[in-house]
């Protein structure tokens, strides 16, 4: 069974701090890795994708991938109350199939 | 460019009625996905299409659920007959690259009474 695991949270951080969200996956053949943000009552919104080992930065967001450890993370710098949402980790394992984690709820305290 | 379009946004129906959900993928995308999301089960993949052909429908919960994609710009998900346990938010997503980057529609919130 191919799986994607996330801590359900909630993860609570003060405004301005770094939020660190983590995800592990079971299929070593996984090819692409995504982070989606989902506000309550809204649809998942793609915020980051990463294909290669290492870090990828986009504004306040940094995605980190370690294929040897089967680990993906998302760092949010200078966290804002507007970042409060559920963050879904998604892993593409091939054959048009992407597996989503259950999500981590992030709460940024003003 | 318009994103994924879904209709209706909200649907309230009575048990036993037929429900049809509609999706228009992003123009040029060749893969389409139907998901269901509930608090208890999270985001579940129901079925996906590539080039209008159903590839895997193993996530469809029962024979009451069916999906079609008659052309590249339209797909439907039908539930007949509907039951209260079908109440959920149904998302459609589409993808147009080899990395399977998916973009979600706004969803249809279905309530079956």
């Amino acid at each position: 069974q191919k799986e994607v695991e996330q801590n359900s949270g909630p993860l609570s951080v003060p405004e301005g701090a770094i939020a660190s969200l983590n995800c592990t996956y079971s299929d070593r053949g996984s090819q692409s890795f995504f982070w989606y943000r989902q506000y309550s009552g809204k649809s998942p919104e793609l915020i980051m994708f990463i294909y290669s080992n290492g870090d990828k930065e986009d504004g306040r967001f940094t995605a980190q991938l370690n294929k040897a450890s089967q680990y993906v993370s998302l760092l949010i710098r200078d966290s804002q109350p507007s970042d409060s949402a559920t963050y879904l980790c998604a892993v593409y394992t091939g054959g048009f199939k992407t597996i989503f984690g259950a999500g981590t709820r992030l709460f940024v305290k003003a | 460019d318009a994103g994924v379009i879904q209709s209706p946004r909200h649907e309230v129906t009575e048990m036993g009625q037929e429900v049809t959900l509609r999706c228009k993928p992003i123009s040029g995308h060749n893969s389409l996905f139907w998901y269901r999301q509930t608090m208890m089960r999270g985001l579940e993949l129901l079925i996906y299409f590539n080039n209008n052909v159903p590839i895997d429908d193993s996530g469809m919960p029962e024979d009451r659920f069916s999906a079609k994609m008659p052309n590249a710009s339209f797909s439907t998900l039908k539930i007949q007959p509907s039951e209260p346990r079908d109440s959920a938010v149904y998302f459609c997503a589409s993808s147009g690259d080899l990395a399977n980057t998916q973009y979600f529609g706004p969803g249809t919130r279905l309530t079956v009474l």
Side-chain angles (χ1 to χ4, degrees):
Chain A
Q1 179 74 13
K2 299 175 182 177
E3 295 183 342
V4 175
E5 300 286 343
Q6 293 182 257
N7 188 319
S8 63
L11 172 66
S12 183
V13 301
E15 183 175 0
I18 295 175
S20 178
L21 305 166
N22 305 313
C23 171
T24 59
Y25 60 95
S26 62
D27 185 358
R28 286 194 172 274
S30 298
Q31 304 171 22
S32 313
F33 306 85
F34 307 90
W35 284 99
Y36 288 81
R37 178 178 61 200
Q38 187 174 24
Y39 292 114
S40 180
K42 301 296 185 182
S43 60
E45 173 193 10
L46 179 69
I47 56 172
M48 289 287 289
F49 58 87
I50 186 167
Y51 309 140
S52 304
N53 275 328
D55 295 0
K56 179 181 179 182
E57 186 175 317
D58 183 2
R60 294 187 297 113
F61 298 98
T62 299
Q64 298 175 318
L65 174 61
N66 184 326
K67 289 188 176 182
S69 300
Q70 297 174 242
Y71 179 90
V72 191
S73 65
L74 179 70
L75 301 178
I76 306 175
R77 290 182 300 280
D78 188 24
S79 295
Q80 302 297 309
S82 59
D83 294 326
S84 298
T86 296
Y87 290 80
L88 302 172
C89 172
V91 176
Y92 177 51
T93 58
F96 307 106
K97 194 158 190 177
T98 295
I99 300 174
F100 283 79
T104 298
R105 287 180 295 149
L106 172 66
F107 179 61
V108 181
K109 298 176 292 184
Chain B
D1 189 20
V4 176
I5 299 171
Q6 291 187 247
S7 65
R9 296 292 304 275
H10 301 272
E11 177 81 28
V12 180
T13 190
E14 293 187 346
M15 183 174 62
Q17 296 298 306
E18 178 179 296
V19 175
T20 299
L21 311 180
R22 297 173 175 79
C23 175
K24 176 179 171 55
I26 293 172
S27 178
H29 283 193
N30 59 354
S31 296
L32 183 140
F33 308 81
W34 281 102
Y35 292 89
R36 177 173 68 176
Q37 188 175 44
T38 61
M39 289 293 291
M40 291 296 294
R41 300 174 68 89
L43 195 63
E44 300 175 277
L45 177 63
L46 301 177
I47 184 171
Y48 57 96
F49 296 82
N50 182 251
N51 293 325
N52 311 337
V53 176
I55 302 300
D56 187 345
D57 65 354
S58 60
M60 298 285 261
E62 301 172 32
D63 291 345
R64 298 184 297 106
F65 285 70
S66 63
K68 294 182 179 180
M69 191 165 186
N71 57 62
S73 59
F74 184 66
S75 177
T76 59
L77 178 68
K78 185 175 293 186
I79 308 172
Q80 167 63 22
S82 58
E83 296 183 2
R85 58 189 168 133
D86 301 330
S87 297
V89 180
Y90 291 80
F91 290 109
C92 175
S94 70
S95 174
D97 64 9
L98 294 177
N100 204 41
T101 308
Q102 296 184 28
Y103 297 89
F104 284 75
T108 295
R109 182 173 296 276
L110 173 65
T111 303
V112 183
L113 302 174

